[in-house]
DNA sequence: GTGGTCTAGACCACG
DNA sequence: GTGGTCTAGACCACC
């Protein structure tokens, strides 16, 4: 089973579809499931697979191209960048965004840094015990 | 200087303005800067203060009323709820949302729970040293 | 007569329409015909004026937004950046692109730098005499 | 090492590949690196050398043949024209195109003709000093 | 009213 | 076959 077939989109308006697509690609790239230089599905292929309009996929690809994540070779499709630094850069960018957002929100709630860490650890442990119990 | 005058809004399309307003109120409430039962500015007052459309403030107040955070006394304005449990409930809701979002994103990047905690601690420590250095 | 009504588009496939739009805006901005902070026509207005689809104008505006030239205020339209440095930066970027392209091409033809300058001066002078003669 | 092996193509969508090929031939011809009457590689040879589709090379050759730059002797390959006037004509055509494009763009930026010349001289001098410094 | 997203369908240039 | 552009028209959230 292909990676792209597992793409799960939510149509709940919380995030535009084209943004969800770029996110899924970025994550797969960061996790190493897409290798540098690897070809990704053509616009038409992916749009058929995940059942969204070609224009939507097109836009997603455009955004990734603008970010230097992928490049298009005329008439041959899109390929992920060969630049191996890009995967670590992408991971750091995504992680930093999440960290900043999370820490900013928790501090705005009045929590000290130590409390934020405590909340996080108790949260992941709590989830773990839920898993065990269920 | 009033609390409301410090409301800082960003017009960068990431979050609707009415949502930013409710967030700022919620946080101030959670931090204890707004006491239970305290009166908040009228719609016209606030819209003049932070220079947004009255409709926008109107909607923000509606949402907070719907969430039981504030209530209106007809002709006398809006007041925060007297229910002291509300502040702890609000804090927990906001914190949980952030936690879920953050942990979900970091896991999608391929990080194990222990790594997530490590990233967080190094992030807040890094920021602390930056502050000290600047 | 408004600036936008003078926008002249060529549908000769040499340059996509949305690109022509951004170019015209950039040039007008560089020439000082659009002031920093000034509002530009809404997507629907401009698309009606120059008779292209709203999506096309939308895309042009998006590109300019991504380049930091304009910003959108929700429900209120698009505004050029207040940053006065942007106009000089934009001029320099556009001029440098042209210079690099031009010089590169002339050198590829085997011309020395001094010859390139000579060609240019004789070209603009030749045009001037044409004007006088006609 | 053959001239053709130094053909550098950019796949960055700015210019179709077949156009890049004709350009490289034209420039080499203008610079005198290809003599009138000289044979050029067969379509298959060149397409193998520079790793593009034979159709692409085919089209490039067609365009050059249409422009009278090359001619085919059936079964014996393609040869550049013997017409020695062609090299000066080609140079002038290419130079004029560049000049028109460059001057047009700079004027659209609001520069007077004298300023355009000034920009050009300072640009080539600036590059020269960069070279010396590096 | 504004911008933003999505769809369906068309046409083109390119390889 | 590929990507790229454009249109017409729809719907939504927001101000």
């Amino acid at each position: 089973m292909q990676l792209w077939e597992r793409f799960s989109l939510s149509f709940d308006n919380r995030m535009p579809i084209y943004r969800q697509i770029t996110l899924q690609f970025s994550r797969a790239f960061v996790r190493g499931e897409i290798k540098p230089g690897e070809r990704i599905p053509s616009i038409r292929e992916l749009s058929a697979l995940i059942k969204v309009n070609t224009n939507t996929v097109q836009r997603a690809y455009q955004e990734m191209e603008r970010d230097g994540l992928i490049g298009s070779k005329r008439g041959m499709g899109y390929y992920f960048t060969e630049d191996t630094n890009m995967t670590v850069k992408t991971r750091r960018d995504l992680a930093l965004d999440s960290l900043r957002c999370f820490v900013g929100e928790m501090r705005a709630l009045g929590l000290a840094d130590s409390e934020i860490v405590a909340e996080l650890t108790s949260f992941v442990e709590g989830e773990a015990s839920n898993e065990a119990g269920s």
Side-chain angles (χ1 to χ4, degrees), chain A residues 35-92:
Chain A
K35 303 296 179 199
E38 185 175 339
R39 186 177 186 277
I40 61 177
S42 81
I43 293 180
R44 289 165 171 87
E45 278 174 337
L46 187 59
S47 75
L49 265 173
I50 63 180
K51 290 168 181 60
V52 300
N53 191 281
T54 53
N55 288 325
T56 308
V57 177
Q58 163 89 315
R59 173 155 188 193
Y61 281 14
Q62 265 176 10
E63 303 260 316
M64 290 196 285
E65 188 169 23
R66 161 170 86 63
D67 294 342
L69 218 53
I70 64 178
S72 64
K73 293 189 190 156
R74 45 178 70 266
M76 310 182 56
Y78 282 89
Y79 294 78
F80 255 87
T81 176
E82 309 261 0
D83 181 0
T84 50
N85 293 333
M86 204 59 188
T87 135
V88 37
K89 178 187 183 317
T90 304
R91 167 189 278 118
R92 205 190 45 224

Side-chain angles (χ1 to χ4, degrees), chain A residues 64-131:
Chain A
M64 290 196 285
E65 188 169 23
R66 161 170 86 63
D67 294 342
L69 218 53
I70 64 178
S72 64
K73 293 189 190 156
R74 45 178 70 266
M76 310 182 56
Y78 282 89
Y79 294 78
F80 255 87
T81 176
E82 309 261 0
D83 181 0
T84 50
N85 293 333
M86 204 59 188
T87 135
V88 37
K89 178 187 183 317
T90 304
R91 167 189 278 118
R92 205 190 45 224
D93 286 352
L94 291 176
L96 266 183
D97 274 357
S98 284
L99 279 164
R100 259 193 287 266
C101 164
F102 173 65
V103 171
E105 173 65 17
M106 295 300 265
R107 282 177 182 161
L109 255 37
L111 277 72
D113 288 352
S114 58
E115 293 174 303
I116 301 177
V117 178
E119 286 273 5
L120 177 64
T121 51
S122 87
F123 177 77
V124 296
E125 283 169 5
E127 273 201 332
S129 66
N130 277 351
E131 302 271 327

